Amino acid sequence: MEDHGAAGRRVAAEASAAPLGGTGGVPDGHGSRAPQGPAAARGPGPSRRRLAGRLLWLGGVLALHAALPGAAGAAGGAAERRALRGLRLRYGSARQAGLVERHLEAAADEARRFLGPSPEHPYYAGAVVLAGRGRTVALHRAMGEAVRYADYDGRTDRVREFPAAQRIPMTEDTVFDLASLTKLFTSLIAVQQMERGNLELEAPVDRYLPEFTGGGKELITVRQLLTHTSGLRSWAPFYQQSSREGQVRLLWSVRPQEAPGSVYRYSDLNLIALQLLLERITGHTLDLLLQDEITAPLGMHRTRYRPPLSWRRVTAATEVQRPPWSGLDRGLVWGEVHDENAHALGGVAGHAGVFGTAWDLAVLARTLLDGGVYAGRRILRPASVELLFTDFNTAFPGDDHGLGFELYQHWYMGAMATPHSAGHTGFTGTSLVLDPSTDSFLVLLGNSVHPVRTWRAGSAPRVAVGNRFARAVPVRTKHGGPAWYSGMETGGSGTLTLPPLTPATGAARLRCAVWWDTVPGEGAFHLEASADGESWEPLPFSTLRSTGGTPEQWPRGSAGGWSGRIWHRLDAPLGAWAGRPVHLRFRHAATGRYVGRGVYVDVVRVAEPGRLLFAEDRPADASRIEAAGWTRSTD
């Protein structure tokens, strides 16, 4: 039950489920997905899209293990080789992590800000934020309280707090109900079974679960469960069934609402069905698979289903559950899974039920960033990890999804969102984001349903912290000095205007270096020209990546989206202005709810054969630039 799922509400809060064995399954939360931006150009497509195309070409007979190189991971990259040598995460400074300290501290400040009115009630009672790059955890901060509220009265919207002496402060090692982050672990286990030849990505689910049929369910594939394209509804009230047999019958009775593969709809039922499938083909319950296949090999000793009673004092409390806002009347939920359906299933479910810490999630992130290996222990091959981050939902722009992982989602990743970023959220207030393009990871865990789910809405803390952490990953110029920077404020805009120039020939050109990352369709930079400095028109240009290749044309005089986190050489011909004065300016505009990392402009020059009209590196010229909404920045 997190704050996403474009096609409606995920009902119920994350709860606990007992092993389903081979006979049943269930869903998790509610909430609604933040609206996605237009399906505009999303920048150059990453290699994972091409990989997805190759896999889908094989159709329903794809056996994933056969598509994976037998020697995958034997060589790997430098990061993977270091991981195979047994290197682990370590604490270090921002500088050691290659991060900018003031922006990293600002990320912690943003997380702390939501302990106050947001806008009326606190977004969460407490939170833990962890961020790092490479093998260095440079930020690990706890704030607020893990346990604060004893009761809640829905009629008056008032709470009863524990006495100060009985409250429990948040610590870096506080255990959280991870809610739908559980789906990531279920997905990892599924991909492991694909590696071993026990499961095929494009196989129909009823090959492994013959009971999973009727009303078109027999057409649903394993991939569609993992990418939420099965057509199943978002949720079903399993907690209303008094027996496991009734719960199983309810799952078998569910019919697709649309044809499988025709729609994206986030659904807990997908991961519950996948749980049943995994338990059927392995003969083991999901909690044992989690321990044996992931947490024990990686040393994630504070991650598990059904935490013991001894963990309660180090676990963040969640909701005071009572109707009508909850499907169950449980009072304060603390140390047990929050999701009603998972609770009804005994605490072990494919969609919810895993508890863990920020550090353990950082270990998982590092494992995936290193191609499936951590401290010398491998849980996945590199090719399998690539599938986790491959967008299989290209038919549903804005709902990019790998196997289990959500991709390129500004609504909770903030400016960390790139075509390479992967992550997930949990309804209790949890989130994980990792970005291979910067080798960075961010964990934000909050008890945001404590005391009640209605006190918060949306993903404002996730976005705010993600924006600040993205800013902490510096953008450096070749000369090491500052460049003009647009900033990354929501709704921000500005202009960078050169003094009037008069080209003498049609061979005059403007050239500069540019770097940009904006939300597709909701942010861009523009190059414009004017005869009088009042009325402006687009100036077409081309860009060439610093890594080489073919120039890209921008005939409308603007560019936006993802540019690959590299500098580009911009070239704009000024032939139409030969013999007359021209004003030139760069303009940036962020028009949507979310922002990217921003726009940089550097080393601006206007020249024609034998004559330099303007050079930013000449102090006299630089002093004549008029900047509004742009600043000079070294990072």
Side-chain angles (χ1 to χ4, degrees):
M1 346 178 351
E2 6 343 325
D3 301 323
H4 62 291
R9 309 179 68 211
R10 310 179 178 177
V11 192
E14 303 216 71
S16 288
L20 298 179
T23 54
V26 187
D28 106 310
H30 46 301
S32 58
R33 170 171 243 164
Q36 300 296 317
R42 301 174 78 80
S47 61
R48 62 166 186 260
R49 294 180 185 268
R50 293 193 296 273
L51 177 59
R54 292 198 298 271
L55 290 174
L56 296 180
W57 176 77
L58 294 174
V61 299
L62 170 66
L64 176 63
H65 74 285
L68 299 175
E80 185 190 355
R81 290 195 294 273
R82 289 193 296 270
L84 284 169
R85 290 202 299 267
L87 299 181
R88 301 170 180 268
L89 285 174
R90 63 181 185 273
Y91 286 112
S93 66
R95 182 184 180 89
Q96 288 171 322
L99 299 168
V100 180
E101 184 174 8
R102 69 181 183 279
H103 298 309
L104 190 63
E105 285 299 318
D109 291 341
E110 288 287 357
R112 188 175 296 105
R113 178 165 63 88
F114 289 89
L115 296 173
S118 308
E120 181 179 357
H121 299 293
Y123 188 92
Y124 38 51
V128 176
V129 59
L130 182 151
R133 192 178 185 196
R135 265 170 194 77
T136 302
V137 173
L139 176 67
H140 193 185
R141 202 73 50 80
M143 56 202 68
E145 293 168 309
V147 182
R148 176 175 176 177
Y149 304 103
D151 207 348
Y152 172 75
D153 185 341
R155 294 167 300 176
T156 62
D157 193 31
R158 292 184 178 179
V159 294
R160 178 170 62 84
E161 298 184 348
F162 284 107
Q166 295 180 28
R167 298 180 193 176
I168 300 177
M170 197 71 77
T171 70
E172 286 85 355
D173 297 325
T174 295
V175 175
F176 285 80
D177 178 342
L178 298 179
S180 281
L181 294 189
T182 298
K183 293 177 171 69
L184 300 182
F185 293 101
T186 307
S187 301
L188 291 174
I189 293 167
V191 175
Q192 288 175 330
Q193 293 303 312
M194 294 177 198
E195 279 191 352
R196 296 167 192 175
N198 299 326
L199 184 63
E200 293 183 12
L201 184 63
E202 295 297 339
V205 175
D206 69 352
R207 177 186 298 179
Y208 310 98
L209 287 175
E211 306 93 329
F212 194 80
T213 188
K217 283 214 305 290
E218 59 276 3
L219 300 177
I220 296 174
T221 66
V222 174
R223 172 175 58 82
Q224 290 166 349
L225 295 182
L226 285 161
T227 58
H228 295 286
T229 55
S230 66
L232 295 176
R233 66 185 194 235
S234 298
W235 177 85
F238 290 83
Y239 60 82
Q240 293 179 356
Q241 302 296 318
S242 59
S243 67
R244 178 54 56 85
E245 291 74 18
Q247 293 166 347
V248 172
R249 283 196 301 271
L250 177 58
L251 180 63
W252 298 153
S253 70
V254 171
R255 300 291 185 262
Q257 292 183 320
E258 288 88 14
S262 67
V263 66
Y264 172 88
R265 180 187 297 109
Y266 183 93
S267 172
D268 292 340
L269 303 186
N270 291 321
L271 274 294
I272 293 164
L274 186 61
Q275 173 191 0
L276 296 180
L277 185 159
L278 292 171
E279 292 181 338
R280 180 73 60 85
I281 66 175
T282 65
H284 298 292
T285 56
L286 194 60
D287 55 339
L288 292 178
L289 290 171
L290 174 70
Q291 176 181 325
D292 294 346
E293 303 290 354
I294 299 176
T295 61
L298 298 181
M300 297 169 60
H301 302 305
R302 283 293 189 176
T303 300
R304 59 169 293 167
Y305 284 102
R306 294 188 292 192
L309 185 61
S310 60
W311 283 24
R312 194 167 190 252
R313 293 288 299 177
V314 297
T315 300
T318 55
E319 187 174 36
V320 178
Q321 287 194 350
R322 291 196 178 88
W325 60 87
S326 172
L328 297 175
D329 191 348
R330 300 167 65 194
L332 177 62
V333 179
W334 179 19
E336 294 184 330
V337 69
H338 172 257
D339 182 84
E340 293 97 330
N341 279 335
H343 171 72
L345 289 165
V348 179
H351 71 291
V354 173
F355 285 69
T357 64
W359 183 269
D360 275 8
L361 287 175
V363 169
L364 178 65
R366 190 66 259 161
T367 302
L368 298 176
L369 287 169
D370 283 343
V373 64
Y374 179 79
R377 301 296 301 272
R378 176 172 296 287
I379 64 165
L380 285 175
R381 299 175 187 170
S384 299
V385 175
E386 181 73 7
L387 292 180
L388 299 174
F389 302 157
T390 295
D391 183 17
F392 288 93
N393 283 4
T394 55
F396 309 106
D399 291 314
D400 304 34
H401 218 289
L403 300 186
F405 281 81
E406 297 171 332
L407 312 172
Y408 204 15
Q409 299 298 313
H410 286 88
W411 68 271
Y412 72 89
M413 297 177 179
M416 281 193 74
T418 77
H420 304 278
S421 298
H424 214 284
T425 63
F427 185 72
T428 52
T430 59
S431 61
L432 168 67
V433 181
L434 49 125
D435 180 19
S437 71
T438 59
D439 199 29
S440 61
F441 49 91
L442 174 64
V443 179
L444 179 61
L445 305 179
N447 52 354
S448 65
V449 296
H450 183 54
V452 67
R453 67 190 71 181
T454 56
W455 271 20
R456 69 91 203 267
S459 286
R462 296 167 177 146
V463 172
V465 175
N467 285 349
R468 293 296 184 179
F469 181 55
R471 184 76 171 91
V473 180
V475 174
R476 304 297 192 194
T477 60
K478 287 186 177 181
H479 56 77
W484 289 106
Y485 178 48
S486 69
M488 47 191 294
E489 298 302 318
T490 302
S493 63
T495 56
L496 190 67
T497 308
L498 306 187
L501 305 170
T502 305
T505 71
R509 314 185 80 82
L510 179 149
R511 291 191 173 101
C512 66
V514 292
W515 188 109
W516 72 92
D517 171 28
T518 67
V519 179
E522 298 184 4
F525 79 92
H526 309 261
L527 182 59
E528 298 171 324
S530 171
D532 56 9
E534 298 292 336
S535 300
W536 297 87
E537 62 185 61
L539 182 62
F541 60 87
S542 64
T543 57
L544 178 65
R545 290 168 166 254
S546 58
T547 53
T550 303
E552 187 170 4
Q553 304 298 321
W554 305 93
R556 296 183 179 179
S558 66
W562 167 252
S563 69
R565 200 173 176 84
I566 59 175
W567 285 91
H568 297 240
R569 180 185 178 185
L570 181 148
D571 188 309
L574 300 174
W577 296 92
R580 57 194 181 115
V582 60
H583 300 253
L584 300 170
R585 75 176 186 184
F586 295 89
R587 179 171 60 87
H588 76 84
T591 59
R593 184 176 178 182
Y594 307 106
V595 297
R597 182 60 176 76
V599 181
Y600 292 83
V601 174
D602 192 30
V603 196
V604 181
R605 291 193 168 200
V606 179
E608 56 190 352
R611 183 178 174 217
L612 187 60
L613 283 75
F614 178 90
E616 185 189 351
D617 50 354
R618 296 192 305 204
D621 285 348
S623 66
R624 300 174 65 197
I625 294 178
E626 296 181 6
W630 293 76
T631 58
R632 299 286 281 171
S633 175
T634 57
D635 52 40

